[in-house]
Amino acid sequence: MARKNGQELLLDVRDLAIEVVTRNGPARIVDGISLTVEKGETLGVVGESGCGKSLTMLSLLGLLPNKISVIGGSATFKGRDLLAMSHKELRKVRGGEIGFVFQDPMTSLNPVVRIGQQVMEPLLYHRNMGRAEARKRAGELLKLVGIPGAEERLDNYPHELSGGMRQRVMIAIGLACDPALLIADEPTTALDVTIQAQIVDIVKELRAKLGMSIVWITHDLALIAGLVDRVVVLYAGSVVEDAPVDELYENPAHPYTRGLLASIPRLKDEGAEKLSSIGGTPPEPGRRPAGCPFAPRCPIARAECERAVPALEPVKGEGAHRVACFAAGEIAEAVA
Amino acid sequence: MNAMTKTEPLLQIEGLTKHFHVRLGAFGEREAVVHALDDISFDIMPGETLSVVGESGCGKSTAGFTILQLHRPTAGRIRYQGRDLAGLDEKALRPYRRELQIIFQDPYSTLNPRMTIGEAIAEPILFHKLAPKGEVKSRVERLLADVGLPARFAMRYPHELSGGQRQRVAIARALACEPKFIVCDEAISALDVSIQAQIINLLLELQRKYGLTYLFIAHDLAVVRHISTRVAVMYLGRVAELAPRARLFGNPLHPYTKALLSAVPEADPAYERKRQRQILQGDVPSPMAPPAGCRFHTRCPLAIERCRVEAPVWRETSPGHHVACHLAEGGGE
Ligand SMILES: Nc1ncnc2c1ncn2[C@@H]1O[C@H](COP(=O)(O)OP(=O)(O)OP(=O)(O)O)[C@@H](O)[C@H]1O
Ligand code: SF4
Ligand SMILES: [Mg+2]
């Protein structure tokens, strides 16, 4: 799948499939997800809870929980398949060339280890730095992510910091080894809007300074609007739409994306009386319909949608905007 | 209603204060006071949605809990239809407990996992003797229909429901009490966007149908703009500003309200890229040692010397628009 501008791909995930073992046998949680990240690009991955966005990223890092495993696909990062790597090889990549930040810093940070030591760990492990050098660098990193009095903070324990500060520490750890790719999974979801704005600002600044690629996973279409270059929308374990950011918000082609965008209340608008909403709930893994996963909730579904799964295809010609919907062509025409 | 009489508030909150005494240190050797709520006053009008916003820990839930007498206030009054609830003992409160309800963010934690949905909704009906035994079943079915769930859900257990469905059950349970007033404490915050819109619509519909009054605690300002009649902005245990929705969003007066609004992202890439936002620096100070003077002065971009020493008074700058800021003082229109 050549990108139109021939940019170099940093990450190329193809046909990723992930299953969970349940009482009723295996169930597909991720069902053939393909996505790419170019060098220097920031990709937003959007979807509701249970759509498989976190598991997709965890699988790349070899961090899938028990009973959940990759059963197919590849994930090429700098020419090597992450999914085929041994644990030992993955450990060299994880926290080194690929940094990551998760939603809840309280569970990702070790509560009984001082902040400084936790920022130093990737430097000691991946960079073979001496302790003194690593400590100095850890102080610089905390300063970089905007922690006031950074050096004095090195000896704090996680509980001595606020939620926003802990999340900054996580970002400092994620960036410690100048990663080519930073995977951020809902890193601001637990935070206040004011702190969220601080964190997003810092990430933008660091991206400009360090030039890494970012995959930012979220359920919040407003949050990533000003942050990402491209958006992949997931629904029930599949990619339903993949588009450059402006295109996605201006001309959403998938009925699910359109429904999502319509159901967000806007701060700019005076309150409308009734929000438009998508009826029903997403299907559970193992109970996905045979055809398009969105068909049971789709306002424009037709017979065809219940029989076959639509492929992810360009909305028109060779464009970078792709959608998995039998009716998308008509939507595009009706809107044009 | 007599056209001559002015609408009376449903609730009048006066000087409401709640301090928590906590023990600190490894052996609990130090005592400290958390100023969770300090001297807040406002009315809640029948049929309105008064939203309360502000950063985590600013006292939103404490305000809701204290109004409902789930926390007893340290000081202040809560007059409900003229009667001060703060002075009542548990027994005298009983009838009010039924009329004043609360819905939480996580209904899973408030639903008994071993009770069917039908039993959970029937419980308050039986407890408050709101229907004869023979009618409880049909009452439950009507409540399920009210919240958009099919009657067969009565036989299910909480774990068989999705988050949105559980929230519908929590709403049905509150409705079963035939309440007048419901505190919605982050009731939609944990839901996915597409489900959140469904629940917001449901709450608005039920409000119209049953004449409910809501205290809507939330952190999503876009949602608040959508559903509120009036909005109160809290900071560190105090109300910084309170105004009708259109005024609060259209003409915010308090620097904190402005900063909060400026932090909210919009689902509009072009607008976001060129937007100049004013980002509030630092964190909220500890409520165990709130700053002297204006509590916001440590983060306020406009703070002057006076703000460090003198607490701004809570005043009305134009009809219905209240603010506590020295620089907004006299700035009425
Ligand atoms: N039972 C309690 N004992 C001691 N301190 C408490 C108690 N309940 C709340 N607090 C403290 O009172 C302050 C206000 O808390 P509250 O829960 O009302 O905030 P909130 O605005 O609802 O926050 P959030 O947005 O996180 O829900 C906080 O500092 C909190 O830690
Ligand atoms: S009183 Fe002073 S510190 Fe407080 S909000 Fe107004 S200007 Fe800022
Ligand atoms: Mg709360």
Side-chain angles (χ1 to χ4, degrees):
Chain A
M1 173 198 40
R3 297 209 71 84
K4 66 172 192 313
N5 48 9
Q7 268 283 351
E8 204 180 325
L9 287 187
L10 181 66
L11 176 69
D12 187 356
V13 177
R14 291 202 194 181
D15 303 318
L16 179 67
I18 299 177
E19 271 186 4
V20 59
V21 181
T22 71
R23 269 180 304 172
N24 313 320
R28 278 287 166 102
I29 314 178
V30 168
D31 200 7
I33 284 181
S34 296
L35 53 84
T36 59
V37 184
E38 291 171 13
K39 248 193 175 147
E41 183 182 42
T42 299
L43 176 71
V45 177
V46 176
E48 298 182 273
S49 55
C51 73
K53 52 194 190 303
S54 295
L55 290 175
T56 297
M57 294 307 146
L58 288 173
S59 74
L60 306 185
L61 299 167
L63 293 174
L64 284 176
N66 263 343
K67 297 200 173 160
I68 298 184
S69 43
V70 172
I71 57 156
S74 62
T76 312
F77 174 73
K78 291 191 167 179
R80 296 187 301 161
D81 185 1
L82 294 169
L83 302 179
M85 282 187 190
S86 68
H87 279 294
K88 207 170 142 206
E89 289 173 297
L90 255 184
R91 217 170 326 138
K92 286 249 172 287
V93 178
R94 188 167 71 213
E97 287 173 290
I98 302 182
F100 53 92
V101 184
F102 294 126
Q103 175 168 352
D104 182 3
M106 225 21 198
T107 55
S108 339
L109 287 173
N110 187 334
V112 297
V113 177
R114 293 176 202 277
I115 296 300
Q117 177 65 29
Q118 300 195 54
V119 183
M120 286 160 63
E121 259 154 33
L123 297 168
L124 299 169
Y125 180 81
H126 293 285
R127 287 291 159 91
N128 295 318
M129 277 188 188
R131 288 199 65 83
E133 192 191 353
R135 188 176 163 91
K136 185 162 160 280
R137 180 75 188 131
E140 289 165 9
L141 282 161
L142 291 188
K143 198 177 291 159
L144 193 68
V145 295
I147 292 188
E151 263 100 41
E152 292 98 81
R153 289 288 182 184
L154 289 171
D155 292 320
N156 280 162
Y157 289 97
H159 74 265
E160 296 175 274
L161 304 182
S162 68
M165 294 238 258
R166 285 197 288 265
Q167 201 53 281
R168 285 163 204 249
V169 172
M170 283 305 299
I171 293 174
I173 295 172
L175 294 177
C177 299
D178 301 320
L181 176 65
L182 180 72
I183 295 177
D185 188 354
E186 305 252 17
T188 63
T189 301
L191 305 173
D192 284 307
V193 275
T194 50
I195 311 297
Q196 174 174 293
Q198 292 175 5
I199 302 266
V200 168
D201 224 42
I202 282 169
V203 169
K204 281 187 188 165
E205 212 174 277
L206 293 173
R207 176 179 62 185
K209 206 181 289 177
L210 310 173
M212 73 276 190
S213 302
I214 301 176
V215 177
W216 189 290
I217 302 170
T218 185
H219 66 277
D220 187 345
L221 276 162
L223 174 66
I224 56 165
L227 177 69
V228 305
D229 302 307
R230 198 157 52 86
V231 183
V232 164
V233 182
L234 300 185
Y235 185 78
S238 309
V239 176
V240 296
E241 188 156 5
D242 178 342
V245 65
D246 293 276
E247 179 68 9
L248 189 97
Y249 289 74
E250 273 163 39
N251 301 311
H254 199 282
Y256 174 64
T257 314
R258 299 168 69 82
L260 270 187
L261 282 166
S263 60
I264 313 177
R266 312 284 171 126
L267 195 62
K268 282 187 298 185
D269 303 343
E270 195 50 57
E273 262 312 276
K274 199 169 150 86
L275 281 177
S276 86
S277 66
I278 308 174
T281 47
E284 278 163 48
R287 293 200 198 158
R288 301 244 165 87
C292 168
F294 188 58
R297 300 175 78 189
C298 182
I300 56 167
R302 46 176 96 166
E304 173 181 28
C305 309
E306 270 139 48
R307 282 196 303 269
V309 182
L312 188 66
E313 280 165 354
V315 171
K316 46 182 177 266
E318 275 289 277
H321 185 174
R322 296 179 306 147
V323 63
C325 170
F326 291 120
E330 289 151 46
I331 297 180
E333 265 166 43
V335 173
Chain B
M1 186 177 295
N2 185 338
M4 298 298 288
T5 54
K6 209 169 117 230
T7 315
E8 288 295 318
L10 183 72
L11 283 146
Q12 290 163 286
I13 321 286
E14 285 171 27
L16 196 63
T17 300
K18 178 68 191 175
H19 292 170
F20 294 102
H21 291 264
V22 292
R23 302 203 147 270
L24 301 175
F27 306 99
E29 68 278 12
R30 279 179 297 133
E31 208 181 283
V33 178
V34 180
H35 296 249
L37 205 59
D38 255 331
D39 193 14
I40 67 167
S41 302
F42 51 79
D43 292 343
I44 302 176
M45 305 308 285
E48 80 165 332
T49 298
L50 175 60
S51 291
V52 183
V53 300
E55 286 162 290
S56 177
C58 71
K60 305 182 291 296
S61 296
T62 304
F65 274 60
T66 313
I67 290 170
L68 296 182
Q69 298 298 305
L70 297 170
H71 286 328
R72 288 312 189 111
T74 307
R77 279 193 243 275
I78 300 109
R79 264 196 263 273
Y80 174 63
Q81 298 178 327
R83 183 98 188 253
D84 185 8
L85 302 181
L88 301 183
D89 63 21
E90 208 38 57
K91 187 147 166 280
L93 268 177
R94 195 54 85 79
Y96 300 106
R97 292 239 182 267
R98 177 181 69 72
E99 289 180 20
L100 309 173
Q101 288 293 317
I102 184 163
I103 306 168
F104 296 100
Q105 169 165 5
D106 175 18
Y108 208 45
S109 60
T110 50
L111 289 173
N112 182 338
R114 279 180 291 275
M115 254 190 205
T116 64
I117 299 310
E119 287 164 352
I121 299 173
E123 191 181 45
I125 302 177
L126 294 167
F127 180 81
H128 295 293
K129 302 194 177 60
L130 290 167
K133 278 243 161 59
E135 280 174 30
V136 171
K137 186 160 177 279
S138 64
R139 183 72 67 92
V140 168
E141 280 170 9
R142 203 189 69 208
L143 286 160
L144 282 171
D146 269 347
V147 298
L149 292 175
R152 63 187 147 83
F153 270 65
M155 307 301 291
R156 302 220 176 145
Y157 287 91
H159 75 266
E160 299 173 273
L161 273 53
S162 70
Q165 289 166 340
R166 279 197 290 267
Q167 199 52 280
R168 288 174 191 269
V169 172
I171 295 170
R173 233 172 95 90
L175 280 184
C177 300
E178 301 174 23
K180 293 222 164 53
F181 174 69
I182 303 181
V183 173
C184 304
D185 191 354
E186 306 275 3
I188 55 152
S189 306
L191 302 173
D192 278 318
V193 204
S194 73
I195 311 299
Q196 187 174 302
Q198 295 174 8
I199 301 293
I200 292 171
N201 288 339
L202 175 65
L203 287 170
L204 291 174
E205 195 184 301
L206 294 171
Q207 178 169 50
R208 267 193 297 273
K209 188 161 170 191
Y210 294 112
L212 298 169
T213 305
Y214 292 142
L215 186 76
F216 191 85
I217 299 173
H219 61 262
D220 185 333
L221 284 142
V223 169
V224 164
R225 167 151 215 183
H226 183 79
I227 71 152
S228 313
T229 317
R230 294 187 301 150
V231 183
V233 180
M234 286 189 66
Y235 187 79
L236 214 48
R238 295 232 166 106
V239 183
E241 184 163 10
L242 191 158
R245 168 181 65 187
R247 286 197 63 84
L248 191 106
F249 288 97
N251 186 23
L253 296 179
H254 200 285
Y256 179 61
T257 310
K258 291 181 188 171
L260 212 51
L261 291 177
S262 150
V264 180
E266 286 281 358
D268 179 343
Y271 171 80
E272 279 296 323
R273 276 193 302 262
K274 61 173 197 285
R275 181 174 185 183
Q276 289 291 329
R277 59 161 41 107
Q278 173 220 333
I279 295 182
L280 210 52
Q281 295 307 316
D283 290 308
V284 183
S286 164
M288 285 185 242
C294 173
R295 290 196 174 174
F296 186 55
H297 85 248
T298 57
R299 296 167 87 196
C300 181
L302 305 180
I304 51 175
E305 189 48 38
R306 184 177 173 201
C307 307
R308 279 174 253 285
V309 288
E310 187 187 329
V313 290
W314 179 236
R315 60 190 302 274
E316 192 168 7
T317 56
S318 66
H321 197 155
H322 303 260
V323 64
C325 166
H326 292 306
L327 299 185
E329 260 179 310
E333 39 267 85

